[in-house]
Amino acid sequence: MSRFELFVVGLALVAWLPGIAVLAEAWGASDFATHGFIVPIVALWSATAHRSTLAALPIRPSRGGQIALAFCAIAYLAALVARHASLLGVVFVAMVVALVSALRGPRWVSCLRFPLAYLVFMIPLPPAWVTPLIVDLQLWVSTAAARLLQAFGIAIYREGNVLTLPGDVSLFVSEACSGITSLITLIPIGVFIA
């Protein structure tokens, strides 16, 4: 990397420190988002597999990448002011792609398409999307369990996601039983292994 490129990347990292802090807060706030901490590291490690191919590629900075970088800077400031973690994640991924394009060119972006696309998994999903899905799946699992037990002749009463058995024994279908939280965590692992 040239001194100019190191300066630009260093400047971008310093500018992104507040945004990364907001992202880290969102990743740490829920059990199913903690993979966000390691996704950038895995993407960077994956990019190193392309060293020999990248060494042979010409460096042709893209004007389009520079323009995209300017738009990303504006979007970053807006997302940071709003403290919107999901939007910050989207802008971070877009900014990394724009930065590679602006400094090295579109052929570099094409060569690094998997590591760059993998960064999408670091975007924290908005709770407004995940929570209703979890609740719906909890109710579906509760209903299915109640019907299955009733089919075997076991008396059971379901109220929401609470199942009551004879003798006033209650079972609670928790968020983890919805399956969505496991899916959100396991998809990035599965994609990387594949």
Side-chain angles (χ1 to χ4, degrees):
M1 285 183 96
S2 69
R3 286 184 182 176
F4 174 73
E5 289 173 330
L6 285 173
F7 172 75
V8 171
V9 170
L11 185 63
L13 284 174
V14 169
W16 263 92
L17 286 176
I20 291 171
V22 173
L23 286 170
E25 187 179 310
W27 296 331
S30 63
D31 293 337
F32 60 85
T34 54
H35 64 274
F37 289 107
I38 62 166
V39 166
I41 296 164
V42 171
L44 185 61
W45 178 79
S46 175
T48 62
H50 302 281
R51 283 185 302 235
S52 59
T53 307
L54 292 172
L57 285 178
I59 297 173
R60 293 196 179 115
S62 163
R63 182 82 174 136
Q66 294 165 357
I67 293 168
L69 202 54
F71 280 114
C72 286
I74 294 166
Y76 168 64
L77 291 174
L80 187 61
V81 168
R83 292 189 59 83
H84 194 288
S86 299
L87 185 56
L88 278 167
V90 170
V91 172
F92 181 85
V93 174
M95 189 171 271
V96 171
V97 173
L99 195 59
V100 171
S101 180
L103 294 176
R104 294 295 174 114
R107 290 185 66 191
W108 280 63
V109 172
S110 179
C111 183
L112 294 171
R113 64 186 168 271
F114 175 77
L116 293 172
Y118 192 76
L119 289 173
V120 167
F121 292 118
M122 69 176 271
I123 301 170
L125 294 174
W129 293 4
V130 178
T131 303
L133 189 57
I134 289 173
V135 170
D136 288 345
L137 288 171
Q138 277 180 292
L139 293 174
W140 183 82
V141 169
S142 302
T143 303
R147 287 184 181 161
L148 183 65
L149 290 171
Q150 288 168 348
F152 283 107
I154 299 170
I156 190 162
Y157 173 73
R158 182 185 71 82
E159 186 175 349
N161 61 339
V162 178
L163 305 174
T164 306
L165 296 163
D168 207 26
V169 175
S170 294
L171 302 171
F172 173 75
V173 179
S174 70
E175 287 182 11
C177 295
S178 72
I180 192 68
T181 54
S182 300
L183 201 59
I184 291 170
T185 305
L186 292 174
I187 286 175
I189 295 168
V191 167
F192 183 74
I193 291 171

